[in-house]
């Protein structure tokens, strides 16, 4: 019986460790490392209380608040690089909004725009006028 | 390459490396009808030493350049159609292409008939009419810029304002301006012409740049700081203001060149980024490494995304402005590299310098010493001929010369003092002659060779060069009196690109292209020199002189430009293919269900029904191939594989542009029809929304009520859109239709009639609120009793649930307090006891839902 319980717990742990998708607000730092290995770098974000950022290969960044994943930044791949692809994805999003991100006032290139669907906990960033998405951001759904 | 045994090496390699040209080329056919470009300044016979490029800037030199460039379009497809009184078929193809593309954006955009063009038979005349002058440089500069760069140096009265403001033609910063206020001054026109001689690819291959516009004289942008003198818009416009247009003189150029080049380099950034499917090329890791930038990004406590560029330690900047962002760094560094070589070299790191030189200037540099070396190479043939002539003349002449240019020790062959003086005097004359040619032909000539402190690099380099040549010829004349006659013909052939072009096209494998090219050029040149029976070292020198005069970068650029012109000469064929492609895809049933997919054609940050978009992208490659395979010179179609590959690269952006133009026209038409639909609505949509209220989900929250109304109103609009999303087009319309809908009598009547239904809906609203409050509590419980591991999930299950359920009663009470205070609840005198009873029935269901969603 003891062996059975131990084996069951081991099996449960093994199944748990195979979890591959992050849940914003639930996945912990340990979960991230278990899945992705040690980050290339990890730094505090002074501007965010208890904030830190872990960087991985392929320019993936995972922001933590305390011990929990709060945001994830990745590069788009394939058709996700198209602004139009995301407009299609967000077209049924009832509260979709587009915000211009602040930039250095001295710069005179076109600003970046964030197109967000809070219901899906997703936003994308692209340069105004461009057809290409620069970044995909995951955050807590609202 | 080492000189020793060069011929043997070339002979050996020619067996292994040369590619047999079994396929005829369109290029060879084109060149038969359009001989090589002649440099216009060679027609200037005798030049005064103090003339600069500006002094030869004239209608005649511009016409001469235009004539040479237009030859490349001779075998193209004539453009059909008319522009006012002009038949486009009667015009040279590039002029017709210009009018076809930009013909509606000339002169006064408020009044197409404001200027009388009826006396005009060509495009330069049209431009000159806008300037109010006859046979003036403006007409030719505008056209020449279009020929060389492919974009329109505008001659109209509007400036793009982006999302900052809607700028009407003739009005800027709320002031009225004449067309002439938007036109370029003669100095500015000269500066653009000079700049066109300074820049090469990639600045001359900005396929998606459409217009370079001028802000009215004396005005700032208005929506940017007054320090901003230029803007580069990613969709293909550059705007320039007075501050970017200070031209100076040839000896002391103003800031025009770095400013305009800065904006054009932003366009390079966008263009190259586009190829990489990125917004900016300068955001790529390799550029961030050499420029020492990194991006700091995070979401702040308020949930706002922050992205800001930061410097790595040790960053070195071309200018302080280059520290703003990688994009500004890219633009500043490349512009200053070209215009202020020496200063820039001191300011940036050697890695950054080498990166810029290699990737953006074909390994060239533009410090004064580099420019001088380049001029020596470019004029090597002329210097050689003049040196040889000097040796011949001095050998026969008894005229006395006074010169201290050379010393006895400068010569290998023992010479009499009279001969040394003669050669020295001739060398001085040759130096002046070549410098004079450089000053009137090269944009940097006067800056480097004139002015208050002319570069000393010329004389030291020139003396070494001419001394070496004279020594060689002195020796050769002793053994072979016919030497000069033998090599004269080859010297004259050096500017001829045929061997270089043949060599380039024969090298198919890109990985070994450079080595193959060098080998092939030397082989062909050596073959050509062989009948002259020269000593092997001289033959090697001549072969290498040819190779030096035709670097692979120059040849590649020349051929790309040639093929680009050829493709553009068939623009009407490309437009036709684009129309056919569009019609075919438009004929399939329209659907926006599947996600968009494709890498060939995009609509910027616009939109299009996905079925149409996907079809265009799927058929694009075949469309491009079809265009290439139908390109012909006479009866000869494309057969040569490398030529086909080059043409394909040139066709792709043109097909994209043609499709994009169709998209813009269709979208504009659809937008106009949508606006008419809105204008003709006369309250119909609001009536539809007030006809029934099945759509009402939340009667407690007016904001949510409004949002629900707008969401359904968007669906109820029976105007189909193909080229835009409904929300941006009809957003304001539905907002207006749903404004204060909660105050509408029909709505309030429905509410009164629907009290029981309201009660039900209000209970669902109340339950929603309870779930919200419970979820917040659940998250707090998770902090105490985490589920970070399976073990914890099991271990703390009871405590977690107890944490939540223990607070359920206060949560319910709080929600009910809010509910009871709601004006509608008060209005309808909702029985709160009945509501509590209902909640009790549903309580466990709600608890389980919160537990399932959070634990």
């Amino acid at each position: 019986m003891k062996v059975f319980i131990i084996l069951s717990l081991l099996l449960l742990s093994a199944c748990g460790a195979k979890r591959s998708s992050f849940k914003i607000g639930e996945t912990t730092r340990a979960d991230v490392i278990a899945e992705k290995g040690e980050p290339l770098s990890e730094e505090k974000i002074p501007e965010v209380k208890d904030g830190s950022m872990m960087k991985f290969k392929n320019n993936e960044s995972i922001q933590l608040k305390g011990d929990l994943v709060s945001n994830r930044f990745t590069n788009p791949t394939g058709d996700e690089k198209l602004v139009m692809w995301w407009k299609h994805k967000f077209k049924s999003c009832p509260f979709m909004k587009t915000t211009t991100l602040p930039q250095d006032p001295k710069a005179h290139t076109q600003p970046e725009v964030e197109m967000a669907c809070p219901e899906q906990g997703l936003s994308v960033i692209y340069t105004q006028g461009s057809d290409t998405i620069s970044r995909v951001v995951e955050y807590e759904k609202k | 390459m080492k000189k020793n045994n060069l011929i043997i090496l070339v002979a050996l390699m020619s067996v292994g490396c040369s590619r047999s040209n079994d396929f005829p080329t369109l290029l060879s056919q084109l060149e038969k009808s359009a001989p090589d470009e002649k440099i216009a300044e060679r027609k200037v016979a005798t030049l005064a030493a103090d003339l600069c490029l500006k002094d030869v800037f004239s209608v005649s030199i511009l016409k001469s350049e235009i004539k040479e460039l237009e030859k490349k379009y001779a075998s193209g497809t004539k453009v059909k159609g008319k522009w006012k009184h002009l038949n486009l078929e009667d015009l040279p193809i590039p002029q017709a292409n210009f009018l076809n593309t930009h013909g509606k954006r000339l002169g006064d955009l408020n009044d197409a008939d404001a200027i009388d063009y009826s006396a005009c038979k060509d495009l330069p005349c049209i431009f000159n009419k806008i300037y109010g002058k006859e046979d003036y440089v403006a007409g030719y500069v505008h056209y020449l810029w279009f020929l060389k760069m492919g974009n329109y140096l505008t001659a109209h009265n509007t400036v793009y304002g982006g999302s900052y403001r809607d700028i009407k033609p003739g009005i800027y910063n709320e002031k009225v301006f004449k067309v002439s206020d938007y036109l370029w001054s003669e100095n500015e026109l000269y500066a653009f012409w000079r700049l066109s001689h300074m820049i090469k690819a990639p600045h001359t291959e900005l396929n998606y740049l459409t217009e370079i516009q001028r802000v009215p004289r004396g005005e700032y942008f208005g929506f940017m700081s007054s320090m901003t003198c230029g803007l580069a818009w990613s969709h293909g416009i550059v705007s320039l203001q007075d501050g970017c247009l200070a031209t100076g003189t040839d000896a002391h150029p103003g800031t025009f060149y770095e400013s305009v080049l800065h904006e054009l380099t932003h366009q390079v950034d966008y263009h190259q980024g586009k190829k990489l499917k990125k917004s900016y090329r300068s955001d790529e890791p390799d550029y961030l490494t050499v420029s020492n930038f990194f991006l700091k990004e995070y979401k702040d406590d308020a949930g706002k995304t922050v992205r800001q560029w930061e410097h790595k330690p040790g960053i070195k900047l071309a200018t302080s402005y280059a520290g703003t962002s990688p994009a500004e760094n890219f633009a500043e560094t490349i512009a200053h590299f070209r215009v202020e070589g020496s200063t820039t070299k001191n300011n940036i790191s050697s890695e950054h310098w080498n990166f810029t030189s290699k990737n953006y200037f074909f390994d060239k540099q533009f410090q004064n010493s580099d420019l001088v070396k380049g001029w020596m190479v470019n004029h090597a043939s002329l210097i050689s001929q003049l040196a040889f002539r000097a040796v011949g003349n001095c050998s026969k002449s008894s005229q006395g010369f006074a010169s201290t240019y050379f010393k006895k020790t400068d010569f290998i062959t023992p010479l009499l003092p009279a001969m040394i003086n003669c050669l020295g005097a001739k060398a001085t004359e040759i130096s002046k002659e070549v410098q004079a040619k450089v000053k009137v032909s090269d944009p940097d000539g006067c800056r480097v060779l004139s002015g208050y402190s002319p570069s000393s690099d010329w004389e030291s380099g020139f003396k070494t060069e001419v001394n070496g040549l004279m020594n060689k010829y002195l020796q050769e004349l002793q053994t072979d009196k016919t030497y000069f006659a033998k090599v004269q013909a080859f010297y004259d052939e050096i500017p001829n690109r045929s061997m270089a072009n043949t060599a380039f096209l024969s090298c198919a494998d890109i990985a070994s292209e450079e080595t193959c090219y060098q080998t092939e050029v030397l082989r062909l040149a050596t073959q050509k020199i062989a009948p002259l029976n020269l000593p092997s070292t001289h033959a090697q020198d001549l072969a290498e002189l040819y190779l030096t005069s035709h670097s692979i970068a120059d040849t590649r650029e020349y051929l790309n430009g040639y093929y680009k012109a050829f493709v553009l000469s068939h623009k009407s064929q490309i437009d036709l293919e684009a129309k056919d492609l569009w019609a075919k895809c438009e004929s399939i049933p329209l659907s926006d269900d599947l996600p968009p997919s494709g890498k060939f054609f995009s609509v910027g940050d616009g939109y299009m029904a996905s079925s149409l978009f996907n079809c265009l992208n799927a058929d694009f490659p075949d469309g491009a191939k079809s265009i290439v395979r139908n390109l012909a010179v006479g009866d000869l179609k494309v057969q040569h594989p490398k030529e086909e590959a080059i043409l394909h690269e040139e066709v792709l952006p043109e097909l994209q542009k043609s499709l994009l133009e169709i998209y813009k026209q269709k979208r504009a038409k659809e937008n106009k029809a949508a606006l008419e639909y809105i204008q003709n609505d006369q309250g119909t949509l609001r009536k539809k929304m007030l006809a029934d209220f099945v759509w009402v989900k939340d009667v407690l929250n007016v904001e949510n009520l409004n949002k629900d109304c707008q969401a359904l109103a968007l669906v109820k609009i029976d105007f189909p859109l193909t080229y835009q999303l409904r929300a941006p087009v009809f957003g304001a319309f539905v907002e207006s239709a749903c404004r204060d809908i909660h105050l509408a009598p029909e709505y309030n009547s429905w509410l009164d009639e629907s009290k029981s239904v309201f009660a039900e809906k209000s209970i669902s609203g109340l339950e929603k609120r309870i779930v919200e409050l419970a979820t917040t509590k659940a998250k707090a419980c998770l902090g105490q009793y985490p589920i970070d591991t399976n073990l914890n999930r099991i271990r703390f299950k009871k405590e977690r649930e107890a944490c939540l359920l223990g607070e359920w009663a206060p949560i319910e009470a709080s929600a009910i307090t809010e509910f009871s205070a709601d004006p509608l609840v008060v209005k309808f005198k909702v029985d709160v006891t009945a509501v509590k009873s209902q909640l009790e029935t549903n309580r466990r269901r709600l608890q389980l839902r919160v537990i399932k969603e959070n634990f």
Side-chain angles (χ1 to χ4, degrees):
Chain A
M1 185 61 180
K2 272 187 189 174
V3 172
F4 175 77
I5 290 170
I6 291 165
L7 280 175
S8 300
L9 287 171
L10 279 171
L11 185 62
L12 279 168
S13 305
C15 289
K18 281 182 190 167
R19 184 178 53 191
S20 59
S21 60
F22 297 142
K23 282 195 178 172
I24 304 292
E26 292 180 23
T27 305
T28 64
R29 184 179 176 280
D31 288 335
V32 172
I33 290 173
E35 182 169 330
K36 300 184 76 63
E38 288 293 332
L40 298 172
S41 70
E42 186 169 2
E43 287 166 10
K44 295 271 178 229
I45 306 171
E47 296 84 353
V48 178
K49 192 175 172 225
D50 295 333
S52 61
M53 189 71 84
M54 298 164 83
K55 287 190 194 271
F56 295 91
K57 64 178 182 185
N58 298 325
N59 206 17
E60 180 179 2
S61 297
I62 294 177
Q63 184 175 340
L64 300 162
K65 186 150 178 81
D67 196 47
L68 295 177
V69 172
S70 58
N71 301 286
R72 184 169 170 239
F73 299 81
T74 51
N75 282 351
T77 55
D79 288 326
E80 286 183 10
K81 290 182 186 178
L82 290 170
V83 169
M84 206 177 114
W85 191 92
W86 290 92
K87 286 191 173 186
H88 186 273
K89 183 175 172 71
F90 289 166
K91 67 178 176 170
S92 305
C93 188
F95 302 113
M96 192 194 85
K97 57 181 180 177
T98 306
T99 321
T100 304
L101 297 182
Q103 65 173 8
D104 189 320
K106 294 192 303 293
H108 65 279
T109 47
Q110 282 168 272
E112 288 190 314
V113 170
E114 185 173 16
M115 183 166 62
C117 180
E119 291 69 31
Q120 296 182 30
L122 278 172
S123 71
V124 289
I125 293 165
Y126 61 95
T127 301
Q128 198 176 67
S130 166
D131 62 357
T132 308
I133 298 291
S134 306
R135 216 64 170 125
V136 179
V137 187
E138 294 168 62
Y139 50 93
E140 194 166 354
K141 293 179 190 176
K142 290 186 171 72
Chain B
M1 214 176 221
K2 291 183 179 176
K3 289 186 180 180
N4 293 337
N5 301 317
L6 178 65
I7 291 179
I8 298 166
L9 181 64
V10 164
L12 278 172
M13 292 189 80
S14 70
V15 175
C17 287
S18 69
R19 309 287 190 269
S20 66
N21 288 313
D22 294 335
F23 302 102
T25 62
L26 297 186
L27 180 68
S28 52
Q29 296 298 308
L30 286 167
E31 285 185 323
K32 278 179 196 168
S33 55
D36 252 358
E37 291 170 46
K38 301 274 185 293
I39 302 167
E41 58 271 14
R42 286 188 180 173
K43 294 177 184 170
V44 182
T46 311
L47 299 162
D50 55 352
L51 289 182
C52 289
L53 187 67
K54 180 86 187 280
D55 298 302
V56 302
F57 177 60
S58 63
V59 167
S60 61
I61 204 165
L62 294 167
K63 278 184 176 176
S64 168
E65 282 189 45
I66 286 170
K67 193 175 166 193
E68 290 305 318
L69 291 172
E70 277 187 340
K71 280 181 187 173
K72 292 180 186 173
Y73 293 80
S75 63
T77 310
K78 285 287 186 180
V79 180
K80 290 190 171 47
K82 287 192 82 159
W83 185 84
K84 293 189 183 286
H85 62 289
L86 292 172
N87 280 322
L88 298 183
E89 269 181 309
D90 297 336
L91 293 174
I93 292 168
Q95 293 189 33
N97 278 345
F98 178 91
L99 288 171
N100 220 14
T101 311
H102 303 289
K104 289 184 183 161
R105 291 179 64 79
L106 285 162
D108 186 350
L109 299 188
N110 290 315
D111 180 3
D113 297 322
I115 297 169
D116 180 11
Y117 302 106
S118 58
C120 285
K121 293 185 179 132
D122 62 21
L123 184 58
C125 170
I126 292 170
F127 278 117
N128 281 333
K129 288 292 181 194
I130 299 172
Y131 278 77
K133 295 189 181 179
E134 302 291 329
D135 204 32
Y136 178 53
V137 288
Y140 299 96
V141 169
H142 279 271
Y143 177 40
L144 187 57
W145 185 269
F146 175 73
L147 271 175
K148 280 186 166 182
M149 306 296 172
N151 51 76
Y152 172 21
L153 192 61
T154 60
H156 60 49
N157 59 347
T158 191
V159 181
Y160 182 67
S163 58
Y164 298 105
R165 53 163 70 166
D166 184 21
I167 298 180
K168 303 264 185 279
I171 297 176
Y172 201 82
N173 290 335
E174 296 172 356
K175 297 175 213 166
V176 176
F177 289 95
K178 302 188 294 295
V179 172
S180 57
D181 295 318
Y182 295 82
L183 299 179
W184 312 93
S185 70
E186 190 166 318
N187 281 340
E188 288 159 7
L189 290 167
Y190 165 70
F192 276 108
W193 178 68
R194 180 171 179 259
L195 183 65
S196 75
H197 284 277
M198 288 170 71
I199 56 179
K200 292 181 186 291
H203 294 87
T204 54
E205 295 174 349
L206 299 172
N207 291 312
Y208 304 104
L209 174 60
T210 51
E211 293 189 3
I212 299 176
Q213 303 172 340
R214 199 202 193 292
V215 169
R217 211 159 268 104
E219 291 296 310
Y220 293 101
F221 279 108
F223 50 80
M224 305 289 291
S225 93
S226 59
M227 298 298 293
T228 302
C229 73
L231 291 172
W233 305 89
S234 61
H235 70 290
I237 291 180
V238 164
S239 316
L240 298 166
Q241 176 266 351
D242 292 338
C244 275
L245 300 171
T247 54
T249 64
D250 280 351
H252 303 283
T255 54
F256 174 100
Y257 301 95
E258 54 260 44
S259 300
V260 177
L261 197 48
H262 174 109
E263 302 306 332
L264 292 179
T265 307
H266 275 315
Q267 293 293 332
V268 170
D269 203 359
Y270 299 139
H271 278 62
Q272 294 188 342
K274 203 176 172 73
K275 281 188 184 168
L276 298 167
K277 302 289 178 209
K278 298 278 172 76
S279 293
Y280 294 99
R281 186 262 178 266
S282 57
D283 283 355
E284 283 293 275
D286 63 344
Y287 193 77
L288 296 180
T289 303
V290 294
S291 60
N292 270 324
F293 276 89
F294 70 95
L295 181 67
K296 191 170 172 184
E297 65 180 347
Y298 57 90
K299 272 205 180 276
D300 66 15
D301 284 320
K304 288 200 175 122
T305 304
V306 176
R307 280 163 62 86
Q308 58 200 36
W309 290 106
E310 310 252 331
H311 297 169
K312 286 185 192 164
I315 191 169
K316 291 182 77 176
L317 302 168
T319 63
S320 58
Y321 190 65
T324 313
S325 65
E328 297 299 351
N329 185 283
F330 184 83
E332 277 289 85
T333 305
I334 288 173
H336 280 80
F337 183 100
R338 176 60 186 89
V339 178
E340 300 273 355
S342 305
T343 319
T344 307
K345 180 136 196 181
N346 292 333
N347 288 348
I348 64 176
S349 69
S350 55
E351 292 82 14
H352 200 175
W353 176 266
N354 293 335
F355 178 94
T356 306
S357 172
K358 181 181 169 203
N359 290 292
Y360 293 96
F361 294 100
F362 304 104
D363 286 314
K364 284 188 184 156
Q365 302 180 15
F366 299 92
Q367 298 176 93
N368 289 350
S369 54
D370 302 301
L371 289 167
V372 163
K373 274 184 212 157
W375 293 329
M376 298 286 181
V377 167
N378 291 345
H379 292 83
S381 170
L382 176 64
I383 296 171
S384 299
Q385 290 176 63
L386 293 174
F388 191 91
R389 196 173 299 156
V391 166
N393 290 343
C394 287
S395 306
K396 291 175 267 184
S397 172
S398 57
Q399 186 183 349
F401 291 93
S403 170
T404 55
Y405 194 82
F406 287 127
K407 301 187 294 295
K408 199 164 58 171
T409 49
D410 288 327
F411 294 95
I412 300 165
T413 314
L415 297 175
L416 292 170
M419 182 72 166
I420 295 171
N421 288 348
C422 178
L423 289 173
K426 294 291 181 193
T428 306
E429 282 173 22
I430 295 169
S431 173
K432 282 182 185 162
E433 183 175 338
V434 177
Q435 283 189 72
K437 281 194 191 307
V438 168
K439 285 191 216 175
V440 296
S441 64
D442 193 285
D444 294 292
C446 272
R447 182 179 67 76
V448 173
L449 300 173
S450 296
Y452 296 123
S453 50
S455 171
S456 58
D457 297 286
W458 174 267
E459 276 313 324
S460 54
F462 177 79
K463 188 174 179 185
T464 307
E465 177 79 10
V466 77
N467 187 212
L469 288 166
M470 285 179 171
N471 268 315
K472 185 167 75 177
Y473 298 141
L474 281 166
Q475 283 183 296
E476 211 42 57
L477 272 179
Q478 285 181 344
T479 55
D480 184 354
K481 301 290 180 205
T482 62
Y483 178 79
F484 181 73
K486 283 183 189 176
V487 300
Q488 179 67 62
F490 187 80
Y491 277 134
D492 287 344
E493 275 298 298
I494 284 175
N496 188 315
R497 293 178 179 274
S498 295
M499 287 189 285
N501 293 344
T502 305
F504 186 84
L505 288 174
S506 71
C507 296
D509 176 28
I510 300 298
S512 59
E513 192 181 53
E514 187 152 359
T515 313
C516 170
Y517 174 80
Q518 286 175 1
T519 308
E520 191 64 9
V521 166
L522 289 171
R523 184 185 73 81
L524 291 169
T526 307
Q527 216 170 54
K528 198 162 181 90
I529 293 162
L532 302 179
N533 293 316
L534 295 175
S536 63
T537 49
H538 289 196
Q540 284 172 21
D541 286 347
L542 284 177
E544 287 203 351
L545 180 62
Y546 184 86
L547 178 61
T548 310
S549 303
H550 297 280
S551 69
I552 189 174
D554 282 341
T555 303
R556 183 187 291 119
E557 191 183 11
Y558 171 80
L559 285 174
N560 282 347
Y562 212 103
Y563 285 117
K564 185 184 171 104
F566 177 67
V567 165
L568 286 173
S569 74
H570 291 87
K571 183 83 173 115
S572 52
Q573 267 180 254
I574 297 173
D575 288 340
L576 209 59
E577 178 70 36
K579 280 183 186 143
D580 287 346
L581 187 55
W582 199 283
K584 184 197 160 206
C585 288
E586 225 175 13
S587 69
I588 64 174
L590 207 64
S591 158
D592 203 27
D593 293 337
L594 292 175
S597 176
K599 59 178 185 178
F600 296 104
F601 169 67
S602 83
V603 292
D605 61 356
Y607 198 80
M608 177 190 281
S610 61
S611 62
L612 182 54
F613 183 83
N614 294 347
C615 175
L616 289 169
N617 270 285
D619 288 358
F620 187 101
D622 285 341
K625 277 183 200 156
S626 168
I627 292 167
V628 171
R629 284 182 187 151
N630 283 314
L631 292 173
V633 179
D635 293 329
L636 181 67
K637 290 197 174 179
V638 178
Q639 294 175 41
H640 195 289
K642 189 161 182 181
E643 195 171 61
E644 184 175 356
I646 297 172
L647 285 168
H648 187 259
E649 283 304 301
E650 295 300 333
V651 160
L652 290 180
E654 294 306 318
L655 182 56
Q656 285 164 351
K657 283 199 284 194
S658 297
L659 288 171
L660 194 60
E661 197 47 47
I662 297 173
Y663 165 73
K664 284 179 186 170
Q665 286 169 12
K666 293 214 177 246
R667 188 182 62 179
K669 192 174 165 190
E670 183 182 81
N671 209 38
K672 193 174 165 200
L675 285 172
E676 281 170 13
Y677 174 90
I678 293 168
Q679 277 160 11
N680 295 335
D681 175 69
Q682 294 178 339
T684 310
L685 182 61
R686 188 171 174 91
K687 281 180 197 160
K688 281 184 190 173
M689 298 312 296
L690 293 172
D692 71 65
F693 298 93
V694 174
W695 54 269
V696 175
K697 293 183 213 137
D698 187 344
V699 298
L700 298 180
N701 186 310
V702 171
E703 198 184 320
N704 287 345
L705 178 74
N706 216 291
K707 280 183 178 159
D708 290 338
C709 175
Q710 289 183 36
L712 182 66
L714 263 185
V715 173
K716 281 191 179 289
I717 292 170
D718 56 3
F719 186 95
L721 288 175
T722 305
Y723 302 106
Q724 299 165 97
L725 286 168
R726 299 176 82 75
V729 175
F730 297 118
F733 177 39
V734 300
E735 203 183 306
S736 167
C738 291
R739 190 166 297 128
D740 295 333
I741 200 143
H742 67 290
L743 300 175
E746 296 91 331
Y747 176 73
N748 282 290
S749 299
W750 170 79
L751 270 184
D752 284 335
E753 290 160 17
S754 311
K755 194 173 166 187
S756 61
V757 176
F758 164 73
E760 201 180 305
K761 282 191 188 296
S762 63
I763 287 174
S764 71
L766 176 57
E767 286 182 356
K768 193 173 161 190
R769 182 62 182 142
I770 290 171
V771 166
E772 276 171 21
L773 293 171
T775 302
T776 306
K777 179 60 188 173
K779 286 195 184 327
C781 293
L782 277 173
Q784 246 184 309
Y785 305 106
I787 51 169
D788 51 350
T789 62
N790 279 322
L791 206 57
N792 280 343
R793 186 191 287 276
I794 298 165
R795 187 200 298 175
F796 295 128
K797 184 174 186 293
K798 281 187 185 159
E799 288 87 340
R800 230 173 1 252
E801 288 181 16
C803 170
L804 172 67
L805 299 180
E807 288 299 310
W808 197 268
I811 287 171
E812 260 190 27
S814 171
I816 289 170
T817 305
E818 286 176 18
F819 174 80
S820 303
D822 190 278
L824 281 172
V825 171
V826 172
K827 177 182 174 179
F828 288 112
K829 298 182 180 55
V830 175
D831 184 353
V832 177
T833 312
V835 167
K836 281 183 184 173
S837 171
Q838 185 80 31
L839 278 183
E840 205 171 309
T841 311
N842 294 338
R843 182 177 296 138
R844 189 59 188 154
R845 176 175 60 78
L846 296 180
Q847 287 172 344
L848 287 173
R849 178 181 156 187
V850 174
I851 289 169
K852 189 180 173 190
E853 283 176 5
N854 293 280
F855 297 160

